[in-house]
Amino acid sequence: MVSLRFLGTGGARWVVAKQIRSSAGFWLRTGTTNVHVDPGPGALVRALALVPPCDPATLDAIVLSHKHLDHAGDVNAMIEAMCQGGWRPRGALCAPRDALDRDEEPVVFPYARRFVPAEFVVAEHSGPFAIGDVELRASMRLKHPVEAYGLHFRTPEARVSYLPCTRYFDAIADDFRAHAPDVLVLNVLRYRDTMDVDHLTFDDARTLIDAIRPGAAIMSHFGTRMLERDPKRLAYEIEDATGVKTFAAYDGWTYDAA
Ligand SMILES: [Zn+2]
Ligand SMILES: [Zn+2]
């Protein structure tokens, strides 16, 4: 069994500030292993509020794709909950160097970092890191204002790749195609590029899904314009154009990958 549980599917400042969609990231779950990816603001509250809840004390790893607030706002709260305030150290913390280092405006508090017995630095093509029965590898460095990496998870039953926030560039497709994902989760913040920013647009998403050709694609991390245009309808549009089964994630949704 491999499932993805979307605690939050919002991105961009406005959506996060108003919590139009939650910003709590997602859980990857196998029969024995639980991984929380990108615990943004509200992650702890959302995890506990789900029915049935995602219990942080069962986590085996907390993973950050990058240190921006909408991905890391609750990382310290989740570490405390995973390690029960430091009394029961467990699990692993996986994050880029600039989210950890004292001279880089870290987002993980040094005291909380010490609670976690294992630490894996996410860097260009780093890994494989063993997290229970899951293997994690990082992608090439993405184009984003801070260190940001794609994450390739290999479980006994399925390969799940996550493409977080980045500007589009052609080499993304080669990196991700090489991991032949059964499921590709990608952050599609923008509909079209009206401003020049380091995020994927809907058009980029269609291009990438067509080039990577995963077993299934899941769009998430939506900004206002994407939400206004109904992500579910946009997912059908991509599916029609590419022939790849495509979904739009929503808060609380669980996708069974295998
Ligand atoms: Zn970002
Ligand atoms: Zn983001």
Side-chain angles (χ1 to χ4, degrees):
M1 169 208 111
V2 183
S3 68
L4 300 175
R5 213 159 170 205
F6 289 85
L7 277 59
T9 54
R13 234 156 254 172
W14 189 253
V15 172
V16 173
K18 299 273 177 191
Q19 288 290 296
I20 296 165
R21 292 268 184 120
S22 163
S23 46
F26 66 89
W27 277 41
L28 182 149
R29 196 170 250 180
T30 71
T32 55
T33 305
N34 293 314
V35 180
H36 192 165
V37 181
D38 283 351
L44 178 56
V45 171
R46 286 283 171 159
L48 293 172
L50 279 182
V51 182
C54 288
D55 179 3
T58 66
L59 274 175
D60 300 286
I62 297 169
V63 185
L64 303 184
S65 66
H66 66 295
K67 71 176 183 179
H68 278 157
L69 182 87
D70 52 334
H71 299 257
D74 253 12
V75 66
N76 297 293
M78 290 309 303
I79 289 173
E80 283 238 4
M82 175 171 79
C83 300
Q84 301 187 28
W87 291 103
R88 282 171 190 259
R90 67 172 276 138
L93 173 65
C94 315
R97 175 70 65 197
D98 69 355
L100 301 167
D101 269 5
R102 276 169 188 269
D103 50 358
E104 297 264 18
E105 294 186 2
V107 294
V108 182
F109 294 146
Y111 89 87
R113 200 176 157 192
R114 285 194 291 271
F115 291 165
V116 190
E119 187 172 277
F120 301 127
V121 175
V122 177
E124 190 153 58
H125 302 303
S126 64
F129 305 125
I131 305 165
D133 63 355
V134 178
E135 264 182 16
L136 168 62
R137 290 172 173 79
S139 77
M140 68 201 312
R141 184 170 177 166
L142 300 172
K143 292 190 176 19
H144 206 53
V146 296
E147 268 192 79
Y149 301 94
L151 304 168
H152 302 295
F153 297 94
R154 193 172 294 175
T155 78
E157 287 137 325
R159 289 180 299 269
V160 177
S161 287
Y162 170 46
L163 177 58
C165 304
T166 178
R167 174 183 293 270
Y168 175 86
F169 56 108
D170 288 335
I172 294 175
D174 301 326
D175 183 305
F176 277 69
R177 202 171 33 224
H179 287 85
D182 298 301
V183 186
L184 169 68
V185 179
L186 68 176
N187 288 355
V188 189
L189 202 103
R190 305 185 64 82
Y191 180 65
R192 296 256 145 82
D193 233 348
T194 43
M195 295 178 292
D196 190 33
V197 292
D198 291 336
H199 283 286
L200 295 178
T201 63
F202 171 65
D203 298 314
D204 298 334
R206 185 177 44 222
T207 304
L208 285 168
I209 289 168
D210 201 24
I212 297 167
R213 307 210 64 78
I218 300 174
M219 296 191 288
S220 189
H221 208 62
F222 303 119
T224 331
R225 296 281 174 272
M226 280 296 287
L227 291 174
E228 280 167 7
R229 280 176 172 80
D230 185 5
K232 200 171 168 185
R233 187 180 61 79
L234 295 174
Y236 285 133
E237 234 178 78
I238 290 187
E239 191 170 315
D240 278 348
T242 63
V244 175
K245 185 90 197 140
T246 303
F247 301 90
Y250 54 89
D251 293 356
W253 181 52
T254 301
Y255 177 78
D256 291 316

